[in-house]
Amino acid sequence: MKIGIVGLGFVGLSLTAVLASKGYNTVGIDVDKKKCKKISNGNSPFFEPSLEKILRNGLKKKLTVSNDFSLIKDCDIIFVTVGTPQSKNGSIELGMIKKSVRSIGKILQENKKNPIVIIKSTVIPGTMQNVILPILEKESKQKAGKNFGLISNPEFLQESTAIRDTEFPHVVVLGGYQTKYMQKAKNFFSKLHPNTSIIITNHQTAEMVKYANNSFLATKISFINQLSNICQNIPGSNIDDIAKTIGLDPRIGELFLDAGPGYGGSCLPKDMKALIKFAGDIGIRPTLLNAVEKINQTQINQIVSLLEKKVGNISSKQITILGTAFKPGTDDIRYSVSIELIKKLLKKKAKIVVCDPKAIENTKNVFGEKIYYDESITSALDNSHCGIIMVQWKQFEKLNNKSIKHMKRKLIIDCRRILANKKLDVEYYALGIGK
Ligand code: UDX
C-alpha cells in the first residue's frame, strides 16, 4: 500500500512521519521546495516534541518528500492536510485546499488504483459536497464513489503532543457515502489504530464534528476564565482548586479548565470565528459562541489593568514577558495572546523584554528590533518594573529569589499561577487568585 500526504504542516508532517516509521510506503508532498529539502534531511521546519526522531526513523524506511505532485499517481490513499487559514471576515480561506485538490484531480486520471482521497483539513459543513467533490470530478473527469473514494476525516491532534495524538487518536471520524471506499478506509484505520472507536457518518456531520469539538473546548476555557476573573475579586479564593474540584464531576471533566490569558493558536480562535460566521450566514444567532469569543478577546485587559494598577503609567518602563508561544511545548506564536499583549504594551510605549525557551526566532520575525530578547529568565528580569508569566513553561517554574534580585521593582503577574506556592521575595499577583 502506498500513501500520499499533501501539505506538510503540523498535521501532515506528523502523519507522514508516523506512517513512514510504521513501514508504509509514504510520499509527503508540499509546494514549498525548501521545506521539502529540510524534511528530507530529517529536520522539522517547526519545533514539535518527538517529531524529528520519528521522521528520521521514517526516512530510513520508505519515505519520499517532494514538491512533485505526480508522485501520488500510484497511491492507494491520498490525504489532504493543507491549511485553511482565517480570512478577514472570519470565514476560512479555501485557496490552498482548492489548489491542492485541483492538482490531485488532474493526477487521478493517471491513477489506476481507484484511490481514496481523505480530507483532513478543517472545512465548514458543505465544503466537501459543494466545493471539493465538484473540483475533483471536474479535473479528473471521473466519478466519486465509482472511480475514486472521497472521505472527510477531521483531525484532533494538539500541537506539543502531535505524535502521540497521531498514533493514538481518541476517535477516528469517517464522513462520506457508504461505498466500498468507506469500507476500505475503515479497514485501513482499524489496522492503524486497533483500539480506537471509528465513527462512520456523512460528510457534513464529519465537518461539523470538528467545529463542535473545538468550540466546546473554547467554551470550557472561556467559562473558567470568566470564573477566574470573579475569583480574583474574592479575597482568598483560588481558581485552580475550583477547577480541580468541579473537574472531578464526571459530567464536567478535568481537562481544559486551566484559567489563563485566553486561548490562542492556529485552531481554536480561527474555528470559533469560522463557526460564528457560518452560523450567521445560515440565519442562526450564535449567542453562546459570541460570548465565548468576547470573553477570550477581553481576557487580555485583565492583565493590562492589573499591570497599570500596580505600576501606574508604563511608558518607558521595562516590562518582561515570560513566554510568547501560544502554549508550552511549541515554538508556534500564531494567534498567541502574548503577542497581542506585547502589541498593546508597545502602543503604551513600554520597553519590552521577552524570554521563551523555543519561540524567540518566531517572535523576532514579528517584532524585530522593537523589543529585546533574552535567553535567560534572570537577565530578562534585570531592571524590569514587572515580569508577566504568560506561558506555563516548566523552565519558568524554576524562577527564584536570585532571578528577581535585580528587578527595578519586584513585581510578578502570573497568568498561569505556576509560582503560587513558592515563597518569593516579591509582590505577587495571579489571575484567578483573590487578594
Ligand atoms: C487545538 C485542539 O485542542 C485540537 O484538538 C485541534 O486539533 C487543534 O486545535 P492546539 O491548537 O494545539 O489544539 O492547542 P490547545 O492545546 O487546544 O490549546 C489552545 C489554547 O488554549 C492555548 O492557547 C492554550 O494555552 C489555551 N488553553 C488550553 C487554556 O488556556 N486553558 C486550558 O485549559 C487549555
Side-chain angles (χ1 to χ4, degrees):
M1 165 164 315
K2 187 171 172 188
I3 301 173
I5 294 111
V6 176
L8 301 179
F10 276 94
V11 173
L13 186 52
S14 303
L15 182 65
T16 302
V18 166
L19 291 177
S21 73
K22 284 185 184 290
Y24 286 96
N25 186 1
T26 310
V27 43
I29 306 282
D30 197 284
V31 285
D32 185 340
K33 213 171 172 177
K34 255 189 176 159
K35 191 185 202 181
C36 291
K37 184 136 195 263
K38 199 167 182 187
I39 299 170
S40 303
N41 290 331
N43 299 314
S44 169
F46 45 81
F47 171 70
E48 176 62 40
S50 314
L51 175 58
E52 280 189 350
K53 194 176 127 217
I54 208 126
L55 170 67
R56 287 172 192 177
N57 188 354
L59 284 164
K60 285 187 204 136
K61 298 182 180 173
K62 283 183 233 153
L63 169 60
T64 314
V65 181
S66 168
N67 66 334
D68 178 5
F69 265 80
S70 73
L71 292 179
I72 58 167
K73 69 171 178 286
D74 54 348
C75 283
D76 300 270
I77 295 181
I78 302 159
F79 283 97
V80 178
T81 52
V82 296
T84 48
Q86 189 182 308
S87 65
K88 280 211 177 86
N89 68 2
S91 61
I92 50 169
E93 191 52 76
L94 290 178
M96 270 192 279
I97 194 160
K98 281 184 182 167
K99 204 171 157 207
S100 318
V101 168
R102 250 182 242 124
S103 309
I104 293 169
K106 286 195 179 96
I107 292 159
L108 279 185
Q109 278 185 323
E110 298 168 44
N111 190 316
K112 303 280 173 269
K113 284 189 164 172
N114 297 103
I116 313 175
V117 179
I118 301 184
I119 308 289
K120 273 196 170 290
S121 309
T122 302
V123 289
I124 276 296
T127 311
M128 287 294 272
Q129 274 170 324
N130 304 331
V131 181
I132 294 173
L133 188 141
I135 294 178
L136 280 174
E137 288 191 336
K138 185 175 166 229
E139 297 293 340
S140 65
K141 298 184 184 70
Q142 294 186 338
K143 215 75 211 110
K146 190 170 167 243
N147 316 91
F148 67 91
L150 179 63
I151 288 175
S152 308
N153 171 228
E155 176 57 56
F156 304 100
L157 70 74
Q158 281 175 268
E159 290 182 26
S160 82
T161 53
I163 296 301
R164 186 199 65 194
D165 296 348
T166 303
E167 284 192 274
F168 307 103
H170 67 271
V171 70
V172 170
V173 179
L174 301 177
Y177 297 100
Q178 305 303 315
T179 61
K180 60 178 180 184
Y181 296 103
M182 182 61 89
Q183 191 52 47
K184 268 192 188 170
K186 190 180 171 205
N187 294 345
F188 169 77
F189 281 106
S190 46
K191 200 171 152 218
L192 187 62
H193 309 298
N195 301 315
T196 306
S197 305
I198 298 182
I199 305 289
I200 300 202
T201 182
N202 54 33
H203 282 304
Q204 52 278 41
T205 308
E207 291 167 316
M208 191 59 189
V209 160
K210 173 70 191 237
Y211 285 98
N213 216 90
N214 274 358
S215 59
F216 190 73
L217 295 175
T219 304
K220 278 188 106 174
I221 300 169
S222 280
F223 168 81
I224 205 70
N225 283 344
Q226 177 132 83
L227 288 204
S228 158
N229 299 344
I230 297 172
C231 279
Q232 219 168 308
N233 292 290
I234 310 171
S237 69
N238 184 320
I239 193 62
D240 287 331
D241 288 348
I242 291 165
K244 195 168 138 196
T245 314
I246 63 170
L248 289 172
D249 184 332
R251 293 168 300 175
I252 295 175
E254 62 181 349
L255 300 177
F256 274 68
L257 290 176
D258 187 12
Y263 55 80
S266 64
C267 288
L268 258 48
K270 169 186 84 123
D271 291 353
M272 283 299 291
K273 288 194 181 67
L275 182 57
I276 289 170
K277 171 80 172 60
F278 174 67
D281 288 348
I282 57 171
I284 305 289
R285 194 183 297 168
T287 318
L288 174 63
L289 302 178
N290 277 325
V292 168
E293 261 287 279
K294 183 89 198 254
I295 292 170
N296 198 54
Q297 278 159 13
T298 50
Q299 189 63 2
I300 197 171
N301 300 342
Q302 297 290 321
I303 311 166
V304 179
S305 63
L306 192 54
L307 174 67
E308 290 186 322
K309 204 162 132 196
K310 298 298 153 198
V311 178
N313 184 353
I314 57 167
S315 167
S316 330
K317 297 212 171 107
Q318 179 179 317
I319 311 295
T320 300
I321 305 292
L322 296 176
T324 54
F326 83 95
K327 67 172 184 180
T330 181
D331 62 359
D332 195 347
I333 56 163
R334 285 176 290 174
Y335 296 94
S336 161
V337 184
S338 197
I339 299 295
E340 287 315 303
L341 177 69
I342 296 170
K343 286 182 184 162
K344 269 188 190 269
L345 300 182
L346 280 177
K347 272 199 188 131
K348 291 174 183 276
K349 305 220 168 2
K351 176 184 170 190
I352 304 293
V353 181
V354 299
C355 177
D356 189 290
K358 292 283 174 203
I360 289 296
E361 280 317 306
N362 286 336
T363 311
K364 278 185 183 164
N365 291 337
V366 177
F367 295 108
E369 290 178 1
K370 285 193 197 126
I371 63 171
Y372 299 84
Y373 308 88
D374 214 309
E375 279 180 14
S376 125
I377 307 170
T378 307
S379 55
L381 286 169
D382 280 359
N383 288 316
S384 250
H385 287 81
C386 179
I388 306 179
I389 300 173
M390 290 295 287
V391 183
Q392 62 278 45
W393 281 105
K394 280 264 168 268
Q395 288 86 332
F396 298 156
E397 288 173 20
K398 293 191 189 123
L399 198 149
N400 55 28
N401 280 331
K402 261 195 188 158
S403 340
I404 53 174
K405 198 168 172 198
H406 299 293
M407 286 182 82
K408 197 148 242 163
R409 175 167 173 188
K410 289 184 182 154
L411 171 66
I412 296 281
I413 295 177
D414 185 353
C415 299
R416 292 293 184 175
R417 300 165 303 285
I418 58 175
L419 305 178
N421 297 321
K422 259 192 170 172
K423 293 260 171 296
L424 289 175
D425 177 19
V426 71
E427 275 178 81
Y428 178 78
Y429 296 90
L431 294 192
I433 298 183
K435 270 226 169 181

